[in-house]
Amino acid sequence: MTEAEYRKPQSDEARSSYDSEITSEFALPDGLAMPRTAGGEPETTSEFALPKGLDVPQAPVAEPEGSAFSTPRTYSAKDAPPAFTPPTGIPVVSLTKDVPWQDRMRTMLRMPVAERPAPEPAAKSEDESGPAVPRVLDLTLRIGELLLAGGEGAEDVEAAMFAVCRSFGLDRCEPNVTFTLLSISYQPSLVDDPVTASRTVRRRGTDYTRLAAVFQLVDDLSDPEAAMTLEEAYRRLAEIRRNRHPYPTWVLTSASGLLAGAASVLVGGDLVVFVAAMLGAMLGDRLAWLCAGRGLPEFYQFTVAAMPPAAIGIALTLADVDVKASAVITGGLFALLPGRALVAGVQDGLTGFYITASARLLEVMYFFVGIVVGVLVMLYVGVQLGAHLNPDEALSTDPRPLWQTGASMLLSLTFAVLLQQERSTVLAVTLNGGVAWCVYGAMHDTGEFSPVASTAVAAGLVGLFGQLLSRFRFASALPYTTAAIGPLLPGSATYFGLLSIAQNHVDEGLVSLSKAAALAMAIAIGVNLGSEVSRLFLRVGSAGKRRAAKRTRGF
């Protein structure tokens, strides 16, 4: 049939006869008769259909599909396993109000979300609504940023963020803190979408006065009797950020010089060594400020700041001046050693924040390498010029209890000024540093204990007293501990290790540097252990045993 004939109108008979000629390849050929099955079942079957004659017993009716929160069919309320809520309910955690908010919030953070006691709802009128959730999370992140940038430990930053959210009724929130990133997530209920916000910490600066003001703000927010609004909290936070540092630049530079001079006296220096170390540290501080103003990274700032004290010590040796050049260089190193970052890094690792701890310790390593490069350059120049620097001078330091105790207290005082501490805390941390050196001297010089053990015990007392003072004032423990560990920093071991390396005695240098690392770890662990001991024997705000930071013991 042609296309034209196909398009012509056709009658019903013609169309019927034409359709009958069209067949499918699956149609039965003529003459083949297939018996019809009873019941009119379809001829097409599946390959999974059961053959005839095979009787399979019918399975019982399946249980209706339930939710993930529905109890299993085998669950019995009489013999309930421990995984489910007991008939008497979950014991209520008693959080007393006369303990620091750090302990209360830390206790709640270590509990599952379902077991945390919900905050008491405040009575509101019909036309009154609470603050918007994104604004509360933004305030929380801004407060956490100031704390983390000021050197606070990750555990206390998380506790502060949780305290701020809980003060505004957001109890189902989860803060997360890393070295440079803060995030927090709030989920109103199991069926609502969570709200998540984050903030990056790009600049860090040491100002313990600002840190204390932020702690006071969090304490006021956590107090239910204060009833601070969100706008008032924002206003106080803006005032904290706008406040100037308590000490001018010239005071900081003078404090850096006095710190180096006091450290030189601790290792056997006299008045000439004191003045030389002070001038070297002040010159290094000014050079570091100059590099910071030009935008150079902190690594190069530490490298430049370490050069002047080493250069002055070598110059005195070349001039045949009867002074201990090692004491001059060691005193200059004391002002540069990153003790604050070291303690914070080890504390984060001991409390379970391993990512933050690794980042902090890596930062300490970079700072230390910068100091090593600066000192090694000057020592190498001195050796090439013929300077006779003797590593055995480390063994000739005679104990001078009165002079060394006074120098340790001066070192702690100047360290507190460099940390921009409040004037009300300077006296306490100065006395704490003097006690630490007395304990170290009594154990090492009189009792002949090892330097590592003596340092660990002295640092433990620093952490214990610092935690007690912080609890008494409901403030951070950093202003009472960081400056007090200044006299214990391993400046002399660091210098003599670098000197041995510069004189091609690599093995002796590595041994001395290993000793310096062991002393640094002893300081950090001792401070943290002293803080934990104080929490262990004091009320922590929970009924029953204090929960550990980790739920397992390595398995």
Side-chain angles (χ1 to χ4, degrees):
M1 181 182 293
T2 62
E3 183 179 357
E5 294 175 349
Y6 178 79
R7 292 180 179 177
K8 290 182 181 180
Q10 300 176 356
S11 61
D12 296 339
E13 293 80 359
R15 282 195 298 268
S16 176
S17 62
Y18 175 75
D19 293 339
S20 62
E21 296 178 0
I22 302 176
T23 60
S24 171
E25 58 181 322
F26 298 100
L28 296 175
D30 295 338
L32 181 61
M34 292 293 293
R36 294 287 181 179
T37 57
E41 295 183 359
E43 297 177 1
T44 57
T45 59
S46 170
E47 58 181 316
F48 299 101
L50 296 175
K52 293 182 179 181
L54 181 60
D55 296 331
V56 179
Q58 296 293 330
V61 180
E63 297 181 359
E65 184 178 357
S67 171
F69 299 96
S70 60
T71 57
R73 179 175 55 86
T74 58
Y75 172 72
S76 175
K78 182 178 180 180
D79 301 326
F84 294 94
T85 304
T88 57
I90 299 175
V92 178
V93 178
S94 175
L95 298 175
T96 58
K97 299 180 180 180
D98 55 346
V99 296
W101 58 265
Q102 299 99 307
D103 290 331
R104 290 185 280 122
M105 297 303 112
R106 188 183 294 111
T107 302
M108 295 185 64
L109 278 174
R110 293 177 178 178
M111 297 171 56
V113 178
E115 298 182 12
R116 295 175 183 170
E120 299 178 1
K124 299 180 180 179
S125 59
E126 296 181 357
D127 57 346
E128 183 182 0
S129 59
V133 172
R135 294 200 66 199
V136 175
L137 298 184
D138 177 71
L139 175 68
T140 303
L141 291 174
R142 291 177 183 272
I143 290 177
E145 178 188 10
L146 287 180
L147 293 176
L148 188 62
E152 191 61 68
E155 186 179 26
D156 288 332
V157 175
E158 279 196 357
M161 294 173 64
F162 185 76
V164 174
C165 286
R166 184 176 171 82
S167 63
F168 290 102
L170 307 184
D171 58 319
R172 300 180 65 89
C173 63
E174 287 294 337
N176 187 21
V177 177
T178 57
F179 184 55
T180 57
L181 181 64
L182 298 169
S183 63
I184 188 167
S185 178
Y186 169 69
Q187 188 172 13
S189 64
L190 294 175
V191 297
D192 293 329
D193 295 332
V195 181
T196 304
S198 62
R199 194 174 184 89
T200 303
V201 180
R202 303 191 182 277
R203 295 188 62 184
R204 288 180 303 235
T206 304
D207 189 343
Y208 282 2
T209 300
R210 179 179 296 176
L211 187 70
V214 176
F215 261 74
Q216 185 61 44
L217 173 60
V218 178
D219 187 35
D220 294 341
L221 286 172
S222 304
D223 189 2
E225 299 178 358
M228 184 183 300
T229 63
L230 186 64
E231 299 300 331
E232 293 176 355
Y234 264 110
R235 179 182 55 80
R236 287 186 54 179
L237 185 62
E239 292 177 354
I240 293 173
R241 297 180 68 93
R242 286 196 302 264
N243 284 345
R244 299 178 60 87
H245 298 305
Y247 305 104
T249 304
W250 67 270
V251 173
L252 297 179
T253 302
S254 302
S256 178
L258 291 174
L259 187 152
S264 65
V265 174
L266 285 179
V267 293
D270 52 10
L271 182 60
V272 177
V273 173
F274 180 92
V275 175
M278 183 177 66
L279 292 177
M282 293 173 65
L283 181 58
D285 180 76
R286 286 294 86 199
L287 291 177
W289 277 99
L290 182 62
C291 294
R294 297 298 184 269
L296 288 179
E298 288 182 303
F299 175 85
Y300 301 106
Q301 297 176 28
F302 275 80
T303 301
V304 172
M307 288 183 176
I312 292 178
I314 293 173
L316 292 176
T317 303
L318 292 174
D320 292 332
V321 180
D322 189 14
V323 296
K324 288 185 177 180
S326 60
V328 176
I329 302 176
T330 301
L333 292 181
F334 263 85
L336 300 175
L337 295 178
R340 173 183 58 87
L342 174 66
V343 172
V346 175
Q347 181 180 0
D348 288 340
L350 294 176
T351 52
F353 295 86
Y354 300 113
I355 296 178
T356 307
S358 301
R360 289 186 189 271
L361 294 179
L362 184 62
E363 180 188 40
V364 171
M365 187 191 72
Y366 271 100
F367 292 164
F368 189 76
V369 170
I371 298 172
V372 167
V373 171
V375 176
L376 276 180
V377 168
M378 301 311 300
L379 290 179
Y380 180 78
V381 172
V383 170
Q384 296 301 318
L385 293 177
H388 299 285
L389 301 173
N390 185 14
D392 296 334
E393 289 179 351
L395 304 176
S396 62
T397 301
D398 298 327
R400 297 175 297 173
L402 295 179
W403 282 98
Q404 290 177 336
T405 302
S408 65
M409 296 177 67
L410 178 61
L411 193 152
S412 299
L413 172 65
T414 53
F415 203 175
V417 174
L418 289 176
L419 294 174
Q420 304 279 0
Q421 291 190 196
E422 291 181 300
R423 291 177 174 85
S424 60
T425 63
V426 171
L427 178 60
V429 74
T430 301
L431 296 176
N432 200 7
V435 171
W437 182 261
C438 290
V439 173
Y440 172 81
M443 293 186 62
H444 180 258
D445 297 333
T446 305
E448 296 183 354
F449 285 86
S450 67
V452 177
S454 304
T455 302
V457 174
L461 289 178
V462 168
L464 177 62
F465 292 156
Q467 193 65 230
L468 293 177
L469 290 172
S470 67
R471 288 171 174 274
F472 177 72
R473 298 194 177 185
F474 283 65
S476 173
L478 287 181
Y480 302 101
T481 58
T482 305
I485 64 173
L488 305 176
L489 292 176
S492 58
T494 303
Y495 162 69
F496 289 111
L498 299 179
L499 178 59
S500 299
I501 293 176
Q503 295 178 342
N504 293 327
H505 303 295
V506 180
D507 294 339
E508 298 177 2
L510 292 179
V511 170
S512 184
L513 290 180
S514 301
K515 177 183 176 182
L519 292 174
M521 293 297 294
I523 292 173
I525 295 176
V527 170
N528 181 263
L529 183 60
S531 301
E532 293 298 327
V533 167
S534 67
R535 294 195 188 109
L536 185 64
F537 292 101
L538 295 177
R539 289 182 299 175
V540 297
S542 62
K545 183 170 61 174
R546 176 177 182 257
R547 292 178 180 267
K550 306 299 290 184
R551 292 181 297 274
T552 62
R553 293 181 177 85
F555 51 84

